Amino acid sequence: METSYETIIIGGGVVGSSIAYHLSERYKEGLLVIDKKFPMSGTSGSTQAWVWVHSKTPAWYAEFSMYSAELYPYLAKKIGDVEYKRTGGLSPFFREQEREKAKRLAEEYGKIGIQIDVLSREEVLAKEPFFNPRVAGATFSLLDGNVNPFRLIDMYMRTAKKNGVHYSTYNRVTDIRRRNDMFIVVSEKGTYASKRLILAAGPWSRELGKLIGINIPINQVRGQILVTEPLKPFLRYTISGLRQANNGEVLIGYSMEQAGFDRSTTLDVIQETANLAIHYVPALKKAKIVRAFSGIRAMPEDGLPILGKVPGIDNLYVAATHSGVTLSPLIGTLLAELLLDGETSLPIERYSLSRFA
Amino acid sequence: MAMETDVLIIGAGPAGLAAAFELASRGLEVTLVDESAAAGGQLVQQTQLIRSLPAPFQPMRGFALAEALTKRLAALPVRYLLGHRMIGLYRDGSVGVADEANVFPLKARKIVVATGAAENAVPFPKWTLPGIITIGAAQTLINRDFVRPGKHAVIVGSSDFAVDVALQLADVGVNIKAVVERQSALLARDAEKVAQLKQSGIPTYVNAAVKEARGKGEVAEIDIQLSERVITEHVDLVCLDGGRSPVLEACYQLGCSFGYQQELGGWLPQYNKRLQTDREDVFLAGNAAGISTQGVVLATGMIAGVSVCEALRVIGGEEAERLRSALWKELEVLETTLFPEVWQARLRHMDNFGNPLLKEQFIS
Ligand SMILES: Cc1cc2nc3c(=O)[nH]c(=O)nc-3n(C[C@H](O)[C@H](O)[C@H](O)COP(=O)(O)OP(=O)(O)OC[C@H]3O[C@@H](n4cnc5c(N)ncnc54)[C@H](O)[C@@H]3O)c2cc1C
């Protein structure tokens, strides 16, 4: 026996859950999210969770990220508090030569309406008194912040469920077929039919795409993060490298390695990351590290999101990206528009899978 | 430059020390890492007589056994890194060891994980109030630190260990108001100890459970649900006997696969009769290979030691097989005397070696 749905979303991470929630705002029935484990077990549960705009390139991609960041304050009104904080973001540099590059970035962003300040050493230290006094300067943007990824996904999911979305967890999709314009999704717990299908499998997108004969060029890039003991609040901004969470712990690191799906942590990277922390904020030398974890980034071959219709297969959609936390409110909004209205309020052709053909 | 050793043993408790003797007495260079300042593990605070031990050991008290185990290593090639912890792995596979200040790599040809067990708590409303501790913590306080943790106590649970410690607490003047057991009979298997408990006049309640604890800043009262009524005891100490589970962090980091056996303490690494995990260079010993009694803990240490000697070609396959099967026979006797179901679980666990439940847990 197979159950029928209007739309099936494979992958319940921050991207899949956001799409499910945004779709459910507008139609209440026939939505199923399938996940091989549970919605926080993938990359979305092992992330720094910056909502980060500044320093993204090219400028049009920064603009895209900005629109998503702008949606965050409203999200809380709709789905509940997700501990989003627009702290402002600091990207420090330690050599005076880098100021020129920072100024060029600020200039380019100015053209698209994103204000970036290039700070002097004194200005950095005035903002963040515990920063290494040897810093040369920093770029600063008011738009950047961070969110609690666990609350975010949980609230997307709760609201989606309240709106009638079904979730099937611990249920791996093992095959996808086409039959009379329907998708037949074969999974460990059963077979489902649906009119529309959305692939939101994060780092597993390439493997999932293969099941239906398409190439989604997503690679895996491992990142390792350190977590300190809870410290009294002393860092105010989201710094590109570390941030202090609501309950006081500092999350450190943005390492990148090729390690496939291996999620172990290694002391090499842990020690480099600890050194980075001390270089940025010397006082962290006294903090105790209580935990290290790693996550696997979903990294498209050209670094940019893959969004929208899959060329050549009607009613098949894909949403796979790095920076999925930053982009999730916008991706959810745009995909709901694409499915229900056939067009989007912001152009997304640039992000089409067809660019790799 | 990485420190090098033939065999790294993580954990210098009875299992680690027993393995070390098998290895070092055959000329292998052994490094023992333990976070405590002294070798001996949990034996150090055990004053009760441990009766059933494998040959060549005589019955003796825990702390004396710890001394005996370390003494015979004195003249052998054993390096102690006490006050040190294994905290992770480097990319090249060497083990990261930390003292309080530094981390350094240690390269070993083989690794024996003998990290022992951790106690489980028994949760109920307000179980985190100060004054509510595990039964093992109570034992450590009286026997190692010479501190009496309270004056009026309730013991929650009735394993052999809990009964032992209840008697020890009573000996140092703690007024034991009750031993509370959820099951319909006391769990302790040692008939002599149970008789001693009964004689001591300590009330025992079966089919009973803690309803809640109360107190401002520390525990003051505890409600116990009996079959027909609730009684309240005024206490300043509650000792929880929630059983023990293997300490698994090292095995997780080393990438071993896992299986589940309730009787052995829950999740534990898969192993074969060599006590070898599916990571061929990693062996197990002691409670890390399944919760059991001190005698079994020693025997597993010896088996792991023999197997590593075989793997490093210090002894031949036939000799290893002979030693191992003698040790397994002894282990079977030690384990089946009091806990036949643990032995059955151990056999099942080894049967499952080829079909682990949890494999490659870091590979999502
Ligand atoms: C260390 C690190 C730091 C990061 N920092 C940031 C940051 O600061 N800001 C930011 O915006 N982003 C950051 N990211 C990236 C961000 O976390 C990801 O882009 C985002 O989580 C991706 O979400 P997702 O829903 O696409 O993927 P996932 O959360 O991985 O979800 C995909 C889901 O698909 C399921 N799935 C896969 N295959 C199948 C199948 N066959 N059947 C059923 N289910 C399947 C999986 O179980 C999984 O739950 C970071 C990532 C890492 C690793």
Side-chain angles (χ1 to χ4, degrees), chain A residues 10-17 34-52 56 153 171-174 200-205 208 211 221-225 253-255 293-298 319-327:
Chain A
I10 304 175
V14 73
V15 170
S17 286
I34 308 182
D35 203 297
K36 68 183 167 73
K37 284 195 177 168
F38 57 93
M40 282 162 254
S41 63
T43 311
S44 307
S46 57
T47 170
Q48 275 276 15
W50 303 330
V51 176
W52 192 260
K56 295 222 158 123
I153 298 166
N171 190 11
R172 180 194 299 271
V173 171
T174 53
W204 297 274
S205 296
L208 190 65
L211 298 181
V221 177
R222 181 165 78 187
Q224 302 188 30
I225 306 246
Y254 55 68
S255 69
F293 66 82
S294 91
I296 312 293
R297 291 185 185 80
T321 182
H322 74 289
S323 301
V325 177
T326 302
L327 295 174

